[in-house]
Amino acid sequence: MGKEIQLTRGNSGGVALEYIMVTTFALATTLLALGYLSKTVKSRFAELEATSIRTGSGDAIWDP
């Protein structure tokens, strides 16, 4: 019969370690992207608020 390839403990451990490393990298990248987007959105809302017109009662009306 032909040669059979079997995973040994060493090989499966390497695969698991690679999976953990890739998953950790993806998680870190996602968190950094979310932080950047959050900061950008907050900045944009602050900019819009600064350019808004206030009514006598203090309500803001956006000025395009």
Side-chain angles (χ1 to χ4, degrees):
M1 301 208 178
K3 293 182 180 179
E4 293 182 19
I5 300 174
Q6 295 179 344
L7 289 177
T8 63
R9 280 186 189 258
N11 288 342
S12 62
V15 171
L17 179 60
E18 183 179 356
Y19 177 78
I20 290 169
M21 289 174 57
V22 169
T23 303
T24 302
F25 176 76
L27 177 62
T29 304
T30 301
L31 291 175
L32 286 172
L34 288 174
Y36 173 77
L37 288 175
S38 173
K39 184 177 177 182
T40 303
V41 169
K42 284 180 184 178
S43 172
R44 181 65 180 142
F45 277 123
E47 187 179 310
L48 287 173
E49 185 178 11
T51 61
S52 63
I53 298 172
R54 299 284 177 182
T55 63
S57 63
D59 295 331
I61 301 174
W62 183 59
D63 182 19

